[in-house]
Amino acid sequence: MKRILLFLVILTAFPAIAQQSITLEECYNSVTQNYPLAKQSSLLETQNTLEAAVISTAKLPQLSLDAQATYQSDVIEIPIASANIDPLNKDQYRATFSVNQLIYNGGATAASLAIKSAELKSKQKQVEVSLYQLRQQINQLYFSILLAQESNLLLKSKQTQLEAKLKEVSSGVKNGILLPSSDKVLEAELLKIGQQFKEIESNKLTLIETLSSLIKQPIDASTEFKNSLIKIHVQKELIRPELELFQYKKDEIENSENLISKQNVPKLLGFATGGYGNPGLNMLDNSFQPFYIAGVKLHWNVFDWNANQKQRQSLAINKDIVDNETEVFKLNTTIELNKQQREIEKIEAIITSDEAIINLRKEVLQMADSQLKNGVITSSAYITELTNLYEDQNTLVRHEIQLQLAKANYNVIKG
């Protein structure tokens, strides 16, 4: 029973002590979902719904209430004395309630709604573009943290090697084989390593805090940053959200052209007006009376001084501007891709050289280790060779991280 309880305690505690890990792709997803700008997408959709509802009211009956009281200096009189018709009052009163119903406007309402839909897509895609452009900043932070993480591991390896060597040297000093100060040199180097640990951890913590703020996700110093092998995207065409944004802008222009083409279409409306006033529709009846009017009305703007045509020409120029922006973007992106490709090739060549240098450094260190045991060289000379190997290994790690960063940036640029 005790064993079962102990197992349950360990099982319950395990998630709390398990080391958290994170990948580059998770950082991309987090910034897309959690960055404050991401909230604009839903806000824009809500705003568009409200604006579309306003436009759709054009299909509904338009109701209006009017009332007026007037006094006029003169009124119509019947110039026949025997007609026995009372003259109109100079003070007159009228209250009316009118209903206007749009019957046909050539699809202008639908065209306006299409524009709003196109505007929403453009604005939401602009938000996506802005979020996508954060990826290179995430790359820089992520791989800088990864470099600090790998440098820390290398430094631990150097520390372990020095501690083991210190035991050997201390034994040699006691036995009179090595100089009395040999162990002190190694101890001083271990103290320097302790300082380097603190510097690496401080820099790493600063980078982690910056990345955590950017992606709005808690990350602590114990989090493991996965060093997954980055593969270059092989597709030939660019797949960038900016290209979709340019297309949405063109769609928006085309919808505007469609709306303009419907502005001069005849509009047919039905109307009805009911009222109560003095006089009513019968001007000869000098009393308060109800009245109503019902009918249809046609409105057609026959000539607009070519304003419609000029608006279309302006929109055509806007479309050409968007095409030009697309061409410029593709050109600049291709240039950036070529530069990044050259950077990748350069780093790969340097890494090959780094590996050859490290192999030579290891051979030199082996000889220095043997010479130190035999008292041929001092601890300082041994530390020099060990430091040279460590620095070259650190250089290799830095170049490997730079290669991963260059590939990640290449993928971001290509989309």
Side-chain angles (χ1 to χ4, degrees), residues 32-48:
T32 301
Q33 296 171 5
N34 303 327
Y35 194 71
L37 184 64
K39 297 177 182 177
Q40 282 194 16
S41 185
S42 60
L43 292 174
L44 288 168
E45 188 165 355
T46 302
Q47 183 186 48
N48 183 266

Side-chain angles (χ1 to χ4, degrees), residues 47-316:
Q47 183 186 48
N48 183 266
T49 301
L50 293 172
E51 292 175 347
V54 172
I55 293 172
S56 296
T57 57
K59 300 177 182 179
L60 303 176
Q62 307 299 306
L63 311 177
S64 62
L65 177 64
D66 296 288
Q68 69 176 28
T70 62
Y71 183 87
Q72 54 197 64
S73 61
D74 204 358
V75 293
I76 298 174
E77 293 183 3
I78 304 298
I80 303 174
S82 60
N84 196 25
I85 298 175
D86 295 332
L88 294 176
N89 294 329
K90 292 186 176 181
D91 55 324
Q92 298 183 3
Y93 307 91
R94 172 172 292 199
T96 59
F97 182 77
S98 300
V99 179
N100 288 277
Q101 174 63 58
L102 177 66
I103 299 173
Y104 175 77
N105 65 351
T109 303
S112 297
L113 290 172
I115 287 180
K116 284 299 173 184
S117 177
E119 286 178 353
L120 175 62
K121 290 180 180 179
S122 294
K123 290 177 180 178
Q124 287 183 325
K125 185 57 66 173
Q126 181 61 64
V127 171
E128 184 181 333
V129 167
S130 299
L131 291 172
Y132 187 85
Q133 290 171 349
L134 292 171
R135 291 194 173 195
Q136 287 202 17
Q137 187 177 349
I138 289 174
N139 287 349
Q140 192 64 48
L141 288 169
Y142 188 93
F143 287 104
S144 295
I145 295 169
L146 203 56
L147 177 59
Q149 182 175 284
E150 297 299 319
S151 297
N152 191 63
L153 292 175
L154 274 177
L155 195 58
K156 282 182 180 178
S157 176
K158 181 182 178 182
Q159 183 186 44
T160 301
Q161 194 167 351
L162 274 177
E163 287 173 345
K165 186 56 61 181
L166 178 60
K167 291 180 180 179
E168 293 180 9
V169 170
S170 296
S171 176
V173 170
K174 287 181 181 180
N175 295 325
I177 299 174
L178 299 175
L179 294 175
S181 62
S182 297
D183 56 344
K184 303 300 180 184
V185 175
L186 293 175
E187 289 175 0
E189 188 65 23
L190 284 170
L191 290 175
K192 287 184 180 179
I193 287 177
Q195 292 175 337
Q196 291 172 346
F197 272 128
K198 291 179 182 178
E199 185 176 356
I200 290 174
E201 286 302 317
S202 177
N203 292 338
K204 180 183 175 184
L205 186 59
T206 300
L207 292 166
I208 286 176
E209 288 174 350
T210 304
L211 180 61
S212 177
S213 299
L214 186 62
I215 67 175
K216 297 297 179 182
Q217 181 176 328
I219 307 174
D220 56 40
S222 64
T223 300
E224 179 190 2
F225 286 76
K226 296 290 186 179
N227 188 9
S228 303
L229 185 63
I230 304 295
K231 295 182 179 180
I232 291 179
H233 295 171
V234 295
Q235 78 273 3
K236 293 183 179 179
E237 295 184 359
L238 297 176
I239 307 178
R240 289 284 294 271
E242 289 89 341
L243 296 176
E244 292 182 76
L245 176 60
F246 292 138
Q247 184 58 51
Y248 284 151
K249 285 183 177 179
K250 289 180 68 175
D251 293 343
E252 194 175 334
I253 293 170
E254 289 172 359
N255 279 289
S256 296
E257 290 175 334
N258 185 38
L259 177 61
I260 290 173
S261 69
K262 299 179 184 301
Q263 285 180 346
N264 291 339
V265 172
K267 296 176 178 60
L268 184 65
L269 300 96
F271 67 91
T273 300
Y276 185 73
N278 181 5
L281 297 181
N282 183 359
M283 299 295 293
L284 300 180
D285 187 350
N286 192 17
S287 63
F288 282 92
Q289 52 188 294
F291 60 88
Y292 71 89
I293 300 175
V296 292
K297 179 169 58 176
L298 178 69
H299 174 77
W300 186 8
N301 188 11
V302 179
F303 185 69
D304 64 354
W305 304 97
N306 289 329
N308 193 286
Q309 182 180 356
K310 290 174 183 177
Q311 285 178 313
R312 291 192 195 184
Q313 290 173 348
S314 176
L315 289 174

